[in-house]
Amino acid sequence: MSYGPLPKRIDPRKLAERGVRIEGDASLEELPNFSSMLCNNDGKIVVDLQFDLDEQRIRTIKGSAKGHVFMTCQRCLEPVEVAVEASYNLATAFSEEQAKTLPRGYDPLITAEEEVELLAVVEEELILSLPLVPGHADCSIQTSFGEPETAEKDTDQSNPFRVLAQLKADKTSN
């Protein structure tokens, strides 16, 4: 088990053969694609990944990444705190053809090279876990714009369909 700074590059095949567990924190600054969708880069993501071999001797990566980030509320345009959690159930494959032969329970991680960037793998699932439309649960938004007097005038004006309502009322009374 390894806890601390996450390694930049890893060889998932070797780690799976040894049954290594990697735990650590990733700052949002280390995840540029993910942090570009956020209001600010303050915070961290806690990563916990277990590399193993399954019953069929397939090299797997299981685990999670979670944290709290701030996105822009789509109603009031103020920052809103969002809990993100991504779960990983990956199996390594050398090519697209080999990825097609993996059992259905796994998402393929194609590793044409020996080493992969760990944070890029973590970042992709985190992006998918973000809400499409972030917002506060009890967001108060401004529904009328302009001067308050103008809004009051509009409600005081006569209803153009009032004449039709009167005609209808007269017709039903006859």
Side-chain angles (χ1 to χ4, degrees), residues 5 12 20 22-24 30 56 62-63 71 75 84 109 116-117 127 141-142 146 150 164 168 170:
V20 173
I22 295 178
E23 293 180 278
E30 295 175 294
Q56 300 172 356
K62 296 182 181 183
M71 297 182 75
R75 292 185 193 119
V84 291
L109 174 64
V116 296
E117 289 189 35
I127 290 171
I141 57 173
Q142 184 177 359
T150 308
L164 293 175
K168 186 176 178 184
D170 290 344

Side-chain angles (χ1 to χ4, degrees), residues 116-127:
V116 296
E117 289 189 35
L118 178 63
L119 292 178
V121 174
V122 169
E123 185 175 40
E124 289 174 10
E125 288 294 325
L126 283 171
I127 290 171

Side-chain angles (χ1 to χ4, degrees), residues 148-167:
E149 294 172 9
T150 308
E152 289 176 15
K153 277 185 189 177
D154 291 343
T155 57
D156 291 341
Q157 289 181 354
S158 65
N159 183 352
F161 298 105
R162 185 173 49 188
V163 174
L164 293 175
Q166 288 174 349
L167 287 174

Side-chain angles (χ1 to χ4, degrees), residues 84-159:
V84 291
E85 182 171 358
S87 59
Y88 301 88
N89 192 18
L90 305 172
T92 61
F94 294 106
S95 64
E96 291 280 338
E97 292 78 31
Q98 186 183 12
K100 292 177 184 176
T101 64
L102 291 173
R104 286 187 169 258
Y106 296 117
D107 291 327
L109 174 64
I110 299 174
T111 57
E113 300 176 18
E114 287 186 12
E115 291 188 345
V116 296
E117 289 189 35
L118 178 63
L119 292 178
V121 174
V122 169
E123 185 175 40
E124 289 174 10
E125 288 294 325
L126 283 171
I127 290 171
L128 292 174
S129 72
L130 288 173
L132 291 175
V133 183
H136 295 101
D138 57 346
C139 190
S140 61
I141 57 173
Q142 184 177 359
T143 56
S144 64
F145 297 94
E147 298 176 21
E149 294 172 9
T150 308
E152 289 176 15
K153 277 185 189 177
D154 291 343
T155 57
D156 291 341
Q157 289 181 354
S158 65
N159 183 352

